[in-house]
Amino acid sequence: MKIIMLGAPGAGKGTQAKLLAEKYQIPHISTGDIFRANIKQGTELGKKAKEYMDQGLLVPDELVVDLVVDRVAQDDCAGGYILDGFPRTIPQAEALDAALERSGEQIDRAVDVEVADEHIVSRMAGRRACVGCGATYHIQHNPTKEEGICDHCGETLILRDDDQPETVRKRLDVYHEQTQPLIDYYRAQGKLAEVDGAVPMDEVFDAIVRILGE
Ligand code: AP5
């Protein structure tokens, strides 16, 4: 099962992708997480990506495409995977399709998690991310057992640099301009599934599983 998660920043793609990866026992591949890990490690890729991410802009396609194409060719992806945050532009989607086609494969479904812009800014202000394992929480909708401490690894939680309201607004603009066209791209391929992301997380999850199958 090869799945793409679509949706605005903060729509809940990462939350659902982690749950789906656990249910279907396939890797969760988040380009945002890959960049954040590189930033933490101080790699050249991380330094370049940070310049764009801190401004709410997309990292250039040439820094993303090969990275994902190589990742999905690894052995643990043979049974499928969930892509979260990729593709994000039409050229990224075309490059992915072309790479998969070369090995006789294709994406099965693109799931669009829909949340209106007005909910996003407040949702992001309440998000907390773990500096250790990357788990995400919400101070109201998905709190940790102990405030400010990750339930999974015990590390400290932070407000991501790009979750400041001004940067979130910029990310939303970039999403509408560059990423939303992917909805029509996958609709034209007959692969699009749309779910309401404004309802509680377990309801979003159930709706996606109904689409993908048990
Ligand atoms: P990335 O990390 O992918 O950020 P994003 O797409 O903006 O998505 P988010 O992680 O912010 O949100 P999400 O939809 O996963 O929501 P979440 O589940 O956390 O990318 C960051 C940056 O990296 C980009 O801006 C770009 O610069 C760069 N980048 C990454 N990929 C790239 C690519 N392919 N090309 C170019 N650049 C790239 O949920 C949000 C909050 O809401 C959480 O607190 C959660 O607990 C809560 N929540 C979730 N669901 C619900 C619900 N149903 N009800 C209430 N609260 C909920």
Side-chain angles (χ1 to χ4, degrees), residues 69-176:
V69 168
D70 289 348
R71 178 67 188 88
V72 299
Q74 288 173 17
D75 290 347
D76 64 332
C77 290
Y81 43 80
I82 300 178
L83 289 177
D84 163 18
F86 182 95
R88 241 181 169 100
T89 62
I90 295 284
Q92 289 183 16
E94 289 172 345
L96 177 66
D97 279 352
L100 292 178
E101 209 175 297
R102 285 195 285 278
S103 47
E105 298 171 47
Q106 57 173 323
I107 290 298
D108 297 305
R109 280 285 197 175
V111 178
D112 178 34
V113 182
E114 296 181 332
V115 177
D117 284 10
E118 57 263 34
H119 293 308
I120 298 278
V121 179
S122 61
R123 203 187 251 197
M124 301 297 248
R127 171 161 64 180
R128 295 295 179 271
C130 174
V131 293
C133 68
T136 49
Y137 301 90
H138 193 281
I139 50 177
Q140 286 161 340
H141 307 298
N142 182 22
T144 47
K145 293 188 187 88
E146 193 182 339
E147 198 182 321
I149 303 294
C150 179
D151 288 348
H152 298 294
C153 73
E155 279 270 14
T156 313
L157 303 184
I158 53 154
L159 178 69
R160 265 169 47 180
D161 289 344
D162 61 349
D163 279 352
Q164 306 294 340
E166 272 318 298
T167 315
V168 171
R169 284 190 195 97
K170 179 67 194 165
R171 286 163 66 197
L172 280 169
D173 289 345
V174 169
Y175 166 76
H176 289 302

Side-chain angles (χ1 to χ4, degrees), residues 31-52:
T31 41
D33 285 352
I34 294 171
F35 289 137
R36 281 184 287 278
N38 274 274
I39 292 171
K40 196 173 160 193
Q41 289 157 17
T43 67
E44 276 311 307
L45 175 64
K47 283 179 199 153
K48 284 186 194 153
K50 189 170 172 19
E51 284 174 34
Y52 298 91

